Amino acid sequence: MKNTALHPNDGKLALAHIAVGYIALFLGAIAGLLQAFVRSGTLELPAGIGYYQLLTAHGVLLALVFTTFFIIGFLYASMSRTTGDLTPFAKKAGWIGFWLMTIGTAITTVMILLNKATVLYTFYAPLKASPWFYIGLTLVVVGSWVSGAGMFSQYAVWKKKNEGKPSPLLSFMAVATMILWIIATLGVAVTVLFQFIPWSFGLVDKINVLLSRTLFWYFGHPLVYFWLLPAYMCWYVIIPKIIGGKIFSDSLARLAFVLFVLFSIPVGFHHQILESGITPFWKFLQIVLTFMVIVPSLMTAFALFATFEISGREKGASGLFGWVKKLPWTDVRFFAPFMGMLVFIPGGAGGIINASNQMNQVVHNTLWVTGHFHLTVATTVALTFFGISYWLVPHLTGRTLTPRLNKLGIIQTVFWCIGMFLMSGAMHTVGLFGAPRRTAYTTYGDHPQALEWMSYQTIMAVGGAILFVAILMILYIIINLAVAAPKGTEEFPVGEVHEDAEKTPLLLENWKIWIGLSVVLIVIAYTVPVIDIIENAPSSPGFKFW
Ligand code: HAS
């Protein structure tokens, strides 16, 4: 494993991805700020801009574009750091993937700005966008596949040179994340290529709505783990080094990632619990599998506590919680991801509530769900990605994280947590009072129930405004780290496994078994209901309500 900076060409590839990711973050955040004010009734949009148009831009740019670009940049950097300089093939694939994704993003964004694709990030049929919106999204997915091929080849070259050895943990995790992503995106590729594109071009009149939604959620749930796993890479491998400790167990970390490959895909029906046309048995089966996919997160929580506690005790901590004091609270590289972990405790608990059949009847399609994903993806994942950026960006640009920027990062994290506490807390609460999600400002003719929601929606707007300030702060820090911070060497921290950990069984790296089992589970969970949907679900013409 290299200890020096990445090869400059590898660094450029990672940096290009991260730069596009942060531009998307900025644009998506502007949409977010405006929509929070519209929804609270404090702002009317000028120039014919629609609330749902903003909501689409916000969801696509943040949930799909920021995440995917940042993740692929980070995974490429991790591969180069732990398996050596990228091979010419891996680099070429990385750049082709990058340009396909960038062109796709540009097409999609233009369509949203032209108000030709106001279909939200889930693009549910029968809402019908311009075909170019779907073509843009296809390019993003195809681009990510090409990048994935580059990473797989890099990994294969390393394995060939190091036969019989387990691959570096960070690269193993990058490969597992891309395997999960590719299996998952097959679902969205099928619905976009065979349903949405022909339908939006007018080649067919109608679309099987239930089939399109089922294929979307086949992709939509593993999508959330595609966001989460790079954060877990940081928690398992990077954080131990930053806190001056060791990785608790290499095998446990690998097993957790394998379990995500197995269980994160055949569970999409938990987003469709209230959807008619799927029989209860198949929903029940997928809910059982959903509870299986909670296990690797519980394992992760266990491993993190163990890492923190062992490291604290090795530094002389005593008592039940003495180790907490030994954590480096003033180091933003630790503090930001740690706050992400902390928030994932209520965030994950909310997910378990969502997945419980009876509870889902209460929360489905309410602002509770919006609150859930602002804790999970928009705090746990986003804060961890910021935490990674604080050292990765200067590592790639040959600069250093100064004490001033570190302090600003801590303040940024605190702002983020306060903003999100207000916004997501209000969303969860008002969701329990029945306030629907995906809805513009309305008092429903001054209905008393709807009037009760208004004060919460104002709190959401206050939280949103604080979050926007935090976005400006992170952008200021990132730009500084990229172009203005003092020249120097910033470490790419990679932890070592604790000497007391068990030896890693090579079985964990037998992808044939894990991919094979994953396919078997998918076939069991989806074949019968999908045949039923193809045969019996009615088709619908398209609608454009905006
Ligand atoms: Fe979710 C809806 C169920 C996790 C994102 N989810 C969504 C949507 C998004 C999303 C975006 O079953 C909305 C989609 C839409 O637009 O309609 N979710 C779950 C479950 C989990 C879960 C069971 N979700 C996530 C993650 C996301 C995410 C992660 C993004 C990154 N979700 C649902 C369901 C719905 C749903 C239903 C549909 C609702 C509906 O009706 O529409 C689980 O994976 C959660 C397991 C997590 C844990 C927490 C482990 C805690 C850890 C931290 C440890 C902390 C430490 C620090 C060590 C069990 C690892 C402490 C240290 C100290 C010193 C104290």
Side-chain angles (χ1 to χ4, degrees):
M1 196 187 342
K2 297 184 302 177
N3 281 315
T4 50
L6 305 189
H7 188 286
N9 290 341
D10 300 359
K12 270 184 209 149
L13 178 62
L15 206 55
H17 282 88
I18 293 171
V20 177
Y22 273 103
I23 293 169
L25 180 77
F26 178 55
L27 298 176
I30 295 175
L33 178 72
L34 294 175
Q35 89 207 17
F37 280 111
V38 175
R39 171 98 201 211
S40 64
T42 37
L43 177 79
E44 273 186 38
L45 291 165
I49 303 171
Y51 172 80
Y52 297 100
Q53 192 182 356
L54 284 181
L55 197 54
T56 308
H58 179 67
V60 169
L61 288 168
L62 295 184
L64 303 180
V65 179
F66 166 63
T67 50
T68 309
F69 274 87
F70 185 89
I71 289 168
I72 293 190
F74 173 54
L75 297 191
Y76 257 114
S78 301
M79 298 287 303
S80 168
R81 168 75 169 84
T82 55
T83 59
D85 295 349
L86 296 177
T87 62
F89 176 80
K91 232 175 317 192
K92 203 169 187 181
W95 280 112
I96 295 173
F98 170 79
W99 282 113
L100 284 173
M101 282 174 33
T102 307
I103 294 167
T105 300
I107 296 173
T108 305
T109 311
V110 168
M111 286 302 122
I112 298 170
L113 294 179
L114 291 175
N115 204 15
K116 293 194 167 169
T118 299
V119 291
L120 310 191
Y121 90 106
T122 39
F123 56 91
Y124 276 171
L127 292 179
K128 191 188 208 177
S130 151
W132 292 102
F133 171 80
Y134 306 113
I135 291 171
L137 289 181
T138 307
L139 287 178
V140 174
V141 170
V142 172
S144 70
W145 287 350
V146 178
S147 298
M151 288 183 220
F152 295 151
S153 85
Q154 174 79 10
Y155 170 80
V157 169
W158 189 95
K159 287 293 283 177
K160 214 170 174 185
K161 280 194 203 145
N162 296 273
E163 247 172 79
K165 286 193 197 157
S167 60
L169 183 54
L170 217 46
S171 294
F172 171 92
M173 291 170 153
V175 167
T177 306
M178 285 318 282
I179 289 175
L180 181 149
W181 173 248
I182 286 173
I183 302 178
T185 42
L186 289 174
V188 76
V190 169
T191 181
V192 167
L193 290 179
F194 297 109
Q195 292 195 280
F196 281 96
I197 292 182
W199 174 64
S200 57
F201 270 119
L203 301 176
V204 290
D205 297 333
K206 291 185 171 183
I207 186 163
N208 182 331
V209 173
L210 184 54
L211 181 64
S212 71
R213 285 162 73 121
T214 301
L215 288 168
F216 180 85
W217 286 117
Y218 164 97
F219 150 80
H221 197 71
L223 168 69
V224 314
Y225 297 113
F226 175 67
W227 301 331
L228 185 69
L229 292 192
Y232 277 11
M233 287 168 68
C234 169
W235 298 0
Y236 273 112
V237 185
I238 311 286
I239 291 293
K241 176 79 177 179
I242 292 175
I243 66 167
K246 295 260 170 80
I247 299 168
F248 168 66
S249 161
D250 180 282
S251 324
L252 182 145
R254 286 180 205 246
L255 180 61
F257 273 62
V258 164
L259 291 178
F260 277 116
V261 171
L262 295 185
F263 292 113
S264 66
I265 300 156
V267 298
F269 285 171
H270 72 225
H271 291 263
Q272 299 173 277
I273 296 176
L274 282 179
E275 187 123 15
S276 50
I278 304 168
T279 45
F281 171 78
W282 295 107
K283 288 182 185 168
F284 174 74
L285 180 84
Q286 293 211 11
I287 297 290
V288 172
L289 293 171
T290 302
F291 277 79
M292 292 299 294
V293 81
I294 295 168
V295 173
S297 283
L298 295 174
M299 286 164 58
T300 305
F302 173 79
L304 289 168
F305 274 108
T307 304
F308 294 154
E309 181 171 354
I310 292 170
S311 139
R313 291 199 189 282
E314 280 171 356
K315 287 181 203 136
S318 59
L320 201 53
F321 292 110
W323 49 271
V324 174
K325 288 193 216 133
K326 300 281 175 191
L327 293 169
W329 296 107
T330 51
D331 184 342
V332 72
R333 300 171 309 156
F334 164 76
F335 184 66
F338 179 85
M339 292 313 288
M341 293 173 202
L342 210 56
V343 169
F344 198 37
I345 297 176
I352 298 172
I353 290 171
N354 297 344
S356 310
N357 189 46
Q358 289 84 341
M359 304 276 207
N360 190 268
Q361 324 286 313
V362 179
V363 299
H364 182 66
N365 272 345
T366 70
L367 273 170
W368 164 283
V369 176
T370 321
H372 163 67
F373 66 72
H374 278 89
L375 287 190
T376 47
V377 64
T379 306
T380 298
V381 170
L383 278 183
T384 305
F385 287 2
F386 298 161
I388 293 170
S389 306
Y390 292 128
W391 52 262
L392 183 57
V393 172
H395 180 85
L396 298 175
T397 54
R399 296 178 188 273
T400 51
L401 174 65
T402 59
R404 189 181 72 87
L405 291 174
N406 181 70
K407 198 166 168 194
L408 203 57
I410 303 255
I411 299 171
Q412 195 279 343
T413 311
V414 172
F415 264 63
W416 195 272
C417 292
I418 294 173
M420 207 49 100
F421 175 77
L422 293 174
M423 194 175 89
S424 175
M427 284 170 168
H428 275 95
T429 315
V430 76
L432 290 179
F433 295 152
R437 65 182 285 206
R438 305 189 185 103
T439 322
Y441 174 72
T442 168
T443 59
Y444 296 90
D446 286 344
H447 190 282
Q449 166 98 60
L451 292 177
E452 259 183 37
W453 302 333
M454 292 307 144
S455 50
Y456 292 93
Q457 292 178 186
T458 308
I459 301 173
M460 279 158 50
V462 173
I466 297 173
L467 283 163
F468 191 71
V469 175
I471 288 275
L472 296 179
M473 287 165 80
I474 183 74
L475 289 170
Y476 172 82
I477 299 170
I478 297 297
I479 293 170
N480 260 277
L481 291 172
V483 296
K487 293 262 179 205
T489 313
E490 187 67 44
E491 184 194 11
F492 187 139
V494 175
E496 281 169 31
V497 179
H498 200 279
E499 43 286 352
D500 292 343
E502 295 285 329
K503 200 168 165 273
T504 305
L506 283 176
L507 176 72
L508 286 171
E509 202 140 359
N510 192 332
W511 291 115
K512 280 188 199 133
I513 297 183
W514 307 126
I515 295 173
L517 277 177
S518 168
V519 172
V520 169
L521 283 172
I522 292 167
V523 169
I524 293 173
Y526 273 110
T527 311
V528 174
V530 165
I531 292 175
D532 189 22
I533 291 169
I534 292 173
E535 285 178 349
N536 298 314
S539 293
S540 164
F543 293 94
K544 186 172 180 280
F545 294 121
W546 61 92

